[in-house]
Amino acid sequence: GAVVSQHPSRVICKSGTSVKIECRSLDFQATTMFWYRQFPKQSLMLMATSNEGSKATYEQGVEKDKFLINHASLTLSTLTVTSAHPEDSSFYICSARGTVNYGYTFGSGTRLTVV
Amino acid sequence: AQSVAQPEDQVNVAEGNPLTVKCTYSVSGNPYLFWYVQYPNRGLQFLLKYITGDNLVKGSYGFEAEFNKSQTSFHLKKPSALVSDSALYFCAVRDGPGGYNKLIFGAGTRLAVHP
């Protein structure tokens, strides 16, 4: 079945630094990638949607200059948290959608801790 | 706007007993409905989906869900619960008829299966 690899699974960074999270679709072409943020014991909040080769569409309230999304190829999308602050600490999850079977495949998530 | 509601924060069930996790939806047009399961610090695993066809949908790990149009519900069920089924369950609806549309998630229901 469809697999999405997300790395790193955990990252700790200092305030003010940037962190990049990668999501790769291993056996299908991800024409659309979704990035979510999840707070403890809460649901997934969609941050942005990106189509391959296009600029990402951000949800209301999400700072596009802070959360940079790149979807340059059909198998790779990245989320970069720039100038991270402790309030950016969260669980980030990507989801990829191809053109077959109308399925959404999720990565395993990245636990970001900003200290 | 499309939405789903999961009215229960937590469901407790004894191992071996049947389980039901409730979900109701509000959509314009035909609903595309999904159930996912999340284990701690992990991404979401797909359980099943309803696109069209039979109202009873069978999915992974012995789970099934019944689409009920008159009650606008899509409850997740399993005849005999296992302790390993304890996890966080999300109902979701696809936003819009297009191929790239995002998933909108419910708040999640924590299932606790006791030995």
Side-chain angles (χ1 to χ4, degrees):
Chain A
V3 177
V4 171
S5 175
Q6 182 173 347
H7 292 283
S9 58
R10 289 179 177 269
V11 58
I12 300 173
C13 71
K14 293 184 178 181
S15 290
T17 62
S18 296
V19 173
K20 180 182 286 188
I21 302 170
E22 287 190 353
C23 267
R24 294 181 183 272
S25 56
L26 299 185
D27 49 5
F28 69 102
Q29 293 184 329
T31 50
T32 306
M33 193 73 80
F34 305 91
W35 286 94
Y36 294 87
R37 181 174 181 176
Q38 185 180 30
F39 292 101
K41 299 184 179 180
Q42 293 190 24
S43 188
L44 282 73
M45 181 191 77
L46 181 67
M47 299 173 66
T49 303
S50 70
N51 293 320
E52 183 263 339
S54 302
K55 288 185 178 180
T57 301
Y58 289 81
E59 295 297 301
Q60 192 172 9
V62 177
E63 299 176 60
K64 63 179 181 180
D65 294 330
K66 181 169 187 59
F67 298 99
L68 301 179
I69 291 172
N70 184 283
H71 191 174
S73 78
L74 285 172
T75 58
L76 174 64
S77 178
T78 60
L79 166 67
T80 301
V81 183
T82 63
S83 187
H85 291 282
E87 56 264 31
D88 299 326
S89 298
S90 191
F91 193 60
Y92 293 87
I93 306 174
C94 65
S95 174
R97 192 171 184 317
T99 56
V100 178
N101 203 29
Y102 298 98
Y104 298 77
T105 304
F106 287 80
S108 55
T110 298
R111 172 74 58 192
L112 170 64
T113 304
V114 184
V115 298
Chain B
Q2 323 286 55
S3 66
V4 289
Q6 294 179 246
E8 302 155 316
D9 291 337
Q10 179 151 335
V11 170
N12 297 296
V13 64
E15 187 175 28
N17 283 2
L19 70 87
T20 298
V21 183
K22 295 180 180 178
C23 174
T24 58
Y25 65 87
S26 174
V27 302
S28 55
N30 295 321
Y32 286 34
L33 297 161
F34 301 77
W35 274 103
Y36 288 87
V37 60
Q38 184 182 33
Y39 294 96
N41 292 310
R42 301 292 295 173
L44 273 64
Q45 295 179 30
F46 171 76
L47 286 178
L48 50 82
K49 67 184 177 191
Y50 173 82
I51 304 297
T52 186
D54 290 341
N55 289 343
L56 185 62
V57 180
K58 293 190 181 294
S60 305
Y61 314 119
F63 284 93
E64 59 188 29
E66 185 171 7
F67 172 69
N68 188 316
K69 188 172 183 178
S70 63
Q71 297 184 7
T72 62
S73 67
F74 189 57
H75 301 331
L76 181 70
K77 300 182 179 183
K78 186 173 182 180
S80 178
L82 300 173
V83 173
S84 57
D85 292 330
S86 299
L88 188 58
Y89 290 80
F90 290 101
C91 180
V93 63
R94 195 177 77 178
D95 184 23
Y100 301 133
N101 292 109
K102 60 192 177 188
L103 286 181
I104 297 171
F105 287 89
T109 298
R110 188 163 300 280
L111 173 66
V113 181
H114 304 285

